[in-house]
């Protein structure tokens, strides 16, 4: 699968869900219950960030849950890329792209959402066949206005912004045409996962879905 095919495959997976929960899992024991809850709430695509010792194990556990498309986030080295492929991750997400990550990505069986912050980085990724990119930290960069500025002269790229995206500014990101989806941890905050607060997470999912539905109705 070449880079263009990878981008298309990832767009198909992420674009329809609009909000991708970003999960920081400290204890792999919670992974199965969390995955089942998300799938039950029609959240099939998730991103588990590699910021804890149990992250790779959690990806392997969640990927085995029927209906769960578990990706790995915060991938910053080629070694990590190899680990998450072995764990059964469906896709990788990187905050930026080093030569090592790009080499792994171009020869990988799974798609990657590579990170780009500047027009130069976006053009570099585009040159290698990537048209769907992550923008992090989106809020600090300037949010939807910054994304519109980048895609003015580079119109055939799209973004999944993360970092500073929340339930309050979600509609403004959804209004931005180059944004196919967003990533955020407000639905599944670390403290709620650690406490196994499944009812709280369920309520956050439903509140976010209400925002998405209301936004869609306002545009129809």
């Amino acid at each position: 699968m070449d880079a263009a095919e990878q981008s298309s495959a990832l767009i198909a997976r992420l674009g329809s869900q609009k909000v991708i929960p970003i999960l920081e899992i400290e204890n792999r024991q919670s992974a199965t219950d969390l995955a089942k809850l998300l799938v039950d709430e029609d959240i099939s695509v998730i991103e588990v960030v590699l910021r804890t010792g149990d992250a790779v194990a959690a990806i392997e556990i969640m990927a085995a849950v029927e209906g769960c498309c578990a990706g790995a986030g915060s991938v910053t080295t080629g070694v990590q890329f190899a680990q998450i492929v072995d764990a059964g991750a469906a896709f990788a997400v990187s905050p930026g792209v080093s030569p090592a990550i790009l080499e792994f990505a171009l020869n990988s069986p799974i798609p990657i959402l590579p990170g780009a912050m500047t027009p130069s980085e976006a053009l570099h990724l585009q040159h290698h066949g990537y048209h769907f990119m992550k923008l992090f930290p989106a809020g600090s960069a300037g949010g939807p206005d910054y994304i519109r500025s980048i895609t003015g002269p580079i119109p055939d790229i799209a973004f999944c912004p993360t970092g500073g995206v929340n339930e309050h500014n979600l509609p403004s990101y959804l209004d931005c045409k180059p944004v196919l989806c967003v990533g955020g941890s407000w639905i599944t905050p670390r403290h709620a996962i650690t406490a196994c607060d499944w009812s709280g997470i369920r309520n956050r999912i439903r509140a976010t879905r209400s925002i998405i539905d209301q936004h869609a109705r306002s545009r129809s």
Side-chain angles (χ1 to χ4, degrees), residues 150-168:
I150 287 184
T151 53
I154 317 172
D156 54 344
I157 60 173
F159 284 101
C160 174
T162 72
V165 184
N166 54 52
E167 68 272 31
H168 304 296

Side-chain angles (χ1 to χ4, degrees), residues 86-137:
D86 289 343
F91 59 93
V93 183
S94 178
V97 175
S98 67
I101 292 176
L102 190 58
E103 181 180 357
F104 268 89
L106 291 171
N107 297 283
S108 170
I110 65 172
I112 183 173
L113 179 61
M117 171 62 74
T118 67
S120 294
E121 291 169 346
L123 287 170
H124 178 69
L125 288 172
Q126 187 184 50
H127 174 75
H128 286 282
Y130 293 99
H131 300 276
F132 182 35
M133 308 169 192
K134 170 175 177 168
L135 178 67
F136 172 84

Side-chain angles (χ1 to χ4, degrees), residues 18-22 161 164-170 182-192 200-201 204-205 207-209 211-212:
K18 298 301 182 187
V19 175
I20 313 303
I22 296 178
V165 184
N166 54 52
E167 68 272 31
H168 304 296
N169 58 27
L170 176 59
V182 305
S185 59
W186 80 87
I187 296 177
T188 50
R190 180 174 180 169
H191 65 83
I201 290 175
R204 290 184 181 93
I205 292 171
T208 298
R209 182 173 294 116
I211 293 170
I212 295 171

